[in-house]
Amino acid sequence: MNEDLSLDWKELGFAYHKTDYNLRCTFSSGEWGEIEVHTDETLNLHMAAGCLHYGQQAFEGQKAFMGKDGKVRLFRIDDNARRMQNSARGIKMEPIPLELFREMAIKAVQLNARFIPPYGSDASLYLRPLEVGTTPLVGVRPADDFLFVLFTTPVGAYFKDGFKPTKVVVYREFDRAAPLGTGCWKVGGNYACGMRATTKAKENGFSAALFLDPKEKRYIDECGPANFFGIRDGAYITPKSGSILPSITNMSLQQIARDMGLRVECRPVELEELATFEEAAECGTAAVATPLSEVYDEANDRSYCFASNGQPGPVTTELYRRLRGIQLGELPDTYGWTTVVDI
Ligand SMILES: *Cc1c(COP(=O)(O)O)cnc(C)c1O
């Protein structure tokens, strides 16, 4: 419990908590302005702003960790910056300069340093950068003016049970993205598309929906906000698909898997192949690597089960341990993934 902040780091969950400052930068008349520091939590948007009507919105998510050595680390921040540029281009928004993204992320952590959860709490300071099109519009076209906002919030585990196996469900009546749509970009519209599936999944006692490829409904795409991977015969297997979001956590786990001597297969993965997998998990900044105990295929009333005695599998456990170790400064950062923030 932090007395000053009256925040119990262990009970944070994945929810919004106010911090001191948020940063903003606007793009208008063809250029980015100065970085602005705000304490106000609300935005003043024109009611006709394009983002409110036609969904021009993209976002990112990343975490700052308090390390064992007392240093604060951001994880692969430049990869987030590049991905945000891709997302922006994907929906015809102005890409945020990489340097601007980096500067705002670092500054947001510094300004809100008192909200960085302590080492050992399993919590972190989550950064949420977002970009929206703000030009007042009625006709459908890309905006000319954009707002880039970056706020922070301390978060705990995404799933309330933490690193424990969780159940997910496959529905065939919903897609989160179209075959040649926006699934490969981190845009809010994809989440709107997935809301019905996710809500139904939770109502039925699952932690998430696992989406199939929208074209053939044969291959695994991903879980709402997290990629999928499975372990079989010394291989780390993860779906390759044009409609999934390239997860930075997944990319990192693939490298760690290679370092552990596993083979990495990035290819279409049929749902039915799950019957042969020893372990399965979902991965993302929020979920880290969350083991799956069961994937339930509702249409065929078929369950694929993994975890042994309710425990995470050994390979998923080791992947998780190594990733966390790098993020917390407990293990060497061989690939230069972390950025130490002076606070
Ligand atoms: C953000 C996100 C992920 C996870 O990506 P990370 O870079 O690992 O956080 C996976 N799928 C979707 C749809 C996402 O939006």
Side-chain angles (χ1 to χ4, degrees):
M1 185 86 170
N2 182 312
E3 299 296 340
D4 295 347
L5 300 173
S6 66
L7 278 175
D8 185 346
W9 304 117
K10 295 266 177 219
E11 296 297 324
L12 284 174
F14 199 80
Y16 177 79
H17 293 277
K18 184 182 189 310
T19 56
D20 291 332
Y21 302 101
N22 61 85
L23 302 183
R24 305 179 192 183
C25 190
T26 56
F27 180 89
S28 63
S29 309
E31 57 185 11
W32 289 99
E34 297 293 313
I35 296 172
E36 301 162 22
V37 178
H38 289 253
T39 53
D40 186 2
E41 293 167 276
T42 61
L43 302 177
N44 193 6
L45 277 182
H46 194 289
M47 63 187 172
C51 60
L52 298 177
H53 302 259
Y54 305 125
Q56 265 196 316
Q57 184 269 9
F59 68 102
E60 271 302 326
Q62 59 202 117
K63 286 173 172 171
F65 302 89
M66 179 60 77
K68 192 175 190 176
D69 52 7
K71 290 184 180 161
V72 175
R73 288 175 178 80
L74 276 164
F75 189 68
R76 301 193 73 166
I77 180 190
D78 295 323
D79 292 289
N80 288 99
R82 277 191 287 273
R83 186 170 68 186
M84 191 142 184
Q85 289 196 330
N86 288 338
S87 299
R89 290 192 189 100
I91 56 169
K92 291 289 182 194
M93 297 200 297
E94 180 68 23
I96 290 151
L98 299 177
E99 252 322 298
L100 178 64
F101 185 100
R102 194 183 167 78
E103 194 182 335
M104 279 178 59
I106 290 170
K107 199 162 179 181
V109 173
Q110 290 169 330
L111 289 172
N112 295 297
R114 68 190 188 105
F115 294 92
I116 304 169
Y119 172 78
S121 63
D122 234 7
S124 54
L125 186 69
Y126 185 74
L127 275 64
R128 168 52 59 86
L130 69 129
E131 181 179 3
V132 290
T134 52
T135 309
L137 295 173
V138 178
V140 180
R141 69 170 178 82
D144 304 311
D145 312 280
F146 299 92
L147 171 63
F148 177 36
V149 182
L150 201 153
F151 69 80
T152 63
T153 184
V155 295
Y158 189 67
F159 294 112
K160 61 179 184 324
D161 297 331
F163 188 66
K164 288 222 190 85
T166 169
K167 298 191 301 178
V168 298
V169 59
V170 172
Y171 296 127
R172 284 157 203 270
E173 72 265 40
F174 309 112
D175 291 317
R176 70 173 273 284
L180 296 173
T182 55
C184 59
W185 298 310
K186 205 167 178 78
V187 298
N190 294 336
Y191 281 80
C193 285
M195 293 280 175
R196 284 185 304 157
T198 306
T199 304
K200 185 173 170 187
K202 296 214 165 121
E203 281 167 4
N204 288 292
F206 298 94
S207 66
L210 176 62
F211 292 94
L212 296 184
D213 80 278
K215 195 166 179 184
E216 295 186 66
K217 302 260 183 211
R218 224 175 109 191
Y219 304 101
I220 296 173
D221 252 9
E222 65 172 321
C223 289
N227 279 187
F228 172 92
F229 71 86
I231 303 295
R232 180 182 65 204
D233 285 342
Y236 176 106
I237 305 166
T238 191
K240 185 184 174 95
S241 157
S243 49
I244 66 180
L245 194 275
S247 153
I248 294 165
T249 311
N250 192 357
M251 277 163 33
S252 311
L253 291 174
Q254 288 175 38
Q255 185 57 55
I256 293 170
R258 282 188 207 99
D259 296 346
M260 284 165 57
L262 297 168
R263 239 171 28 255
V264 172
E265 297 176 18
C266 185
R267 56 165 173 84
V269 179
E270 285 197 42
L271 180 63
E272 291 184 0
E273 231 189 300
L274 287 184
T276 66
F277 281 22
E278 294 143 24
E279 298 177 33
E282 56 181 304
C283 62
T285 296
V288 195
T290 299
L292 302 182
S293 54
E294 178 187 345
V295 174
Y296 178 58
D297 177 0
E298 191 202 43
N300 295 308
D301 189 23
R302 177 165 184 197
S303 279
Y304 301 92
C305 294
F306 308 99
S308 36
N309 310 323
Q311 293 304 311
V315 180
T316 306
T317 304
E318 182 60 12
L319 286 164
Y320 177 93
R321 193 190 69 81
R322 291 198 189 198
L323 177 65
R324 264 293 133 111
I326 296 169
Q327 292 172 334
L328 297 174
E330 298 164 339
L331 293 176
D333 176 17
T334 329
Y335 301 101
W337 285 339
T338 61
T339 298
V340 173
V341 179
D342 294 325
I343 53 164

